[in-house]
Amino acid sequence: MPRFFRPFHNTSYELAQLDTPDGDFIELAWSLPHNETAPLAIVLHGLEGNINSFYAKGMMKALKKQGYAVVLMHFRNCSSEVNRLPRAYHSGDTADLAFFINHLREQFPSRAIMAVGFSLGGNVLAKYLGEEGKNCPLSAAAVVSAPYDLSSSSEVIRKSLGKIYQKYLLDRMKKSMQRKLPQIKQQIPITTEQLMQIDDLLEFDNQLTAPLHGFENAHDYYRQASAMPYLKHIAIPTLIIHAKDDPMLSIKAVPSRQDVSEHVTLSVSEKGGHVGFISGNNPLRPVFWLEKAVPHYFGQYVPSKASSKQ
């Protein structure tokens, strides 16, 4: 529904590259207000997402409207240019996020920094928050529709709605990985034809995601990358938004009060779908609830003047 209602949704941004310590780069999409002292908000996209993802643009526009300097961090191989190293990204890869946040903290030591992650990006953010614990430099965070239990959520995607979700994601994943084949051929000898024949998410993770990133197999990857065990260690204000009717995630991925720390606010609804959460009484004028809820939550943790509408 949100995809249907805003196919032409747009917001202005500028692309930039930040070199990483391992000789690669992170592509950033900045949307800046006129206020040079504005608080910073990081947006993390989902699986095979990018700056063109409808939910990312919607959130960036909403946060910028509330006076934030907003930046979307592309995961490696989701950027407009192919990354340099023979690797991509995965659900538990927090190193780039940690590096980027530390970079922002050094560049802007006096400005509040927030982060919101969607789906896969939400799992990455939640795992990062738990890893950092009390040392986390963020002022607040929001996690939306994250697959905290990767193994069970993968099973749901592989079977749900006649495997439509799996085909949609796999088609995008294979297209994205195809441009990396020249770089990874020494590590993983797979041809374009073999790549395109993969028709199962578990098989893709077994053949590509796991070996590319140092995991034994897909199940080892799911176990190590799942954010659920890290939720108890979150030590900054964090809003977790999740819907029980999410068609792409397992019910095992719905966190309960005993799964999270005292710093986490759980907002678990009966309905909302996957990164959906449309409300309002007029179906022709939907209200995108996420774009109100997340900025409102962040607004509690920045100075009132900085978070006011510009």
Side-chain angles (χ1 to χ4, degrees), residues 104-125:
L104 288 179
R105 175 51 62 222
E106 291 176 1
Q107 293 291 111
F108 311 104
S110 62
R111 293 161 74 170
I113 305 176
M114 318 289 182
V116 53
F118 295 92
S119 197
L120 175 146
N123 189 83
V124 172
L125 176 58

Side-chain angles (χ1 to χ4, degrees), residues 15-178:
L15 292 178
Q17 287 189 0
L18 176 65
D19 289 333
T20 57
D22 61 355
D24 210 331
F25 68 89
I26 301 170
E27 185 179 74
L28 309 169
W30 283 95
S31 188
L32 299 170
H34 297 300
N35 181 3
E36 295 184 358
T37 63
L40 303 168
I42 302 167
V43 176
L44 301 175
H45 61 77
L47 183 65
E48 289 306 308
N50 52 43
I51 184 58
N52 294 314
S53 299
F54 68 89
Y55 56 85
K57 283 186 176 180
M59 184 59 67
M60 291 178 73
K61 186 173 183 177
L63 287 166
K64 184 179 179 181
K65 188 176 180 181
Q66 293 300 317
Y68 291 83
V70 191
V71 56
L72 179 136
M73 188 192 91
H74 285 99
F75 294 113
R76 300 199 200 191
N77 204 36
C78 292
S79 47
S80 56
E81 293 185 25
V82 182
N83 284 87
R84 302 165 190 150
L85 298 182
R87 52 155 294 182
Y89 70 105
H90 62 81
S91 299
D93 189 359
T94 58
D96 283 348
L97 178 59
F99 164 71
F100 180 47
I101 291 174
N102 289 336
H103 170 78
L104 288 179
R105 175 51 62 222
E106 291 176 1
Q107 293 291 111
F108 311 104
S110 62
R111 293 161 74 170
I113 305 176
M114 318 289 182
V116 53
F118 295 92
S119 197
L120 175 146
N123 189 83
V124 172
L125 176 58
K127 183 170 177 280
Y128 164 81
L129 297 174
E131 290 172 345
E132 294 294 313
K134 295 180 180 179
N135 296 319
C136 183
L138 296 176
S139 297
V143 181
V144 182
S145 301
Y148 304 99
D149 187 272
L150 291 170
S151 181
S152 60
S153 293
S154 172
E155 286 298 309
V156 169
I157 293 173
R158 292 169 68 202
K159 300 174 182 177
S160 184
L161 201 64
K163 300 185 178 182
I164 288 176
Y165 293 124
Q166 174 174 256
K167 185 179 187 314
Y168 169 76
L169 291 173
L170 269 178
D171 285 348
R172 299 191 66 175
M173 292 164 71
K174 290 188 289 187
K175 183 178 179 181
S176 175
M177 190 58 70
Q178 185 178 7

